[in-house]
Amino acid sequence: KVDKVEILDLGPYINGQAGCSPTGEVVVQLNKTLLDTDPKQLIKTLCHELRHCVQFQSITDNVWGFSDQRVALWMANKEDYFSPMDRTFETYELQPLELDANAFAEAVFS
């Protein structure tokens, strides 16, 4: 369940992000720049962020029936998650949560 999708100026390095607000709402934020310059990438980013929502819900309530191993991997990564600003972009993209979200977004567009 996604409560809100926002299109905001997220700066030059962030295409989108997903998470919970302080009130518990699930919020997906997309970079307004993509709306103006690359609508296809905006939709791809939306798919990527929605997959993060699925991952996060699966950690607490695995309604989609992912394997216990996959959910455990996501849970461990969520506990030790880092942004691309914390490490190299390549290292950031090799995290299990990011690999899965990128693969999902790519599958939608293939």
Side-chain angles (χ1 to χ4, degrees), residues 18-103:
C20 286
S21 74
T23 61
E25 291 180 310
V26 175
V27 179
V28 173
Q29 297 177 329
L30 302 170
N31 196 329
K32 183 183 181 313
T33 302
L34 294 177
L35 182 64
D36 299 334
T37 62
D38 194 348
K40 183 176 178 180
Q41 182 60 47
L42 180 81
I43 300 301
K44 192 172 181 180
T45 300
L46 176 61
C47 292
H48 175 100
E49 298 305 332
L50 290 174
R51 182 60 170 204
H52 282 317
C53 294
V54 166
Q55 294 165 339
F56 301 155
Q57 179 165 357
S58 294
I59 289 170
T60 58
D61 182 13
N62 189 8
V63 297
W64 292 281
F66 291 106
S67 72
D68 291 343
Q69 180 182 7
R70 180 179 279 195
V71 172
L73 188 63
W74 289 343
M75 186 183 309
N77 185 199
K78 190 169 188 275
E79 293 296 318
D80 193 29
Y81 187 83
F82 52 86
S83 77
M85 305 306 180
D86 298 330
R87 310 229 178 119
T88 66
F89 188 75
E90 293 80 18
T91 303
Y92 157 78
E93 285 207 318
L94 290 174
Q95 295 178 102
L97 290 168
E98 295 304 325
L99 286 169
D100 180 74
N102 285 330

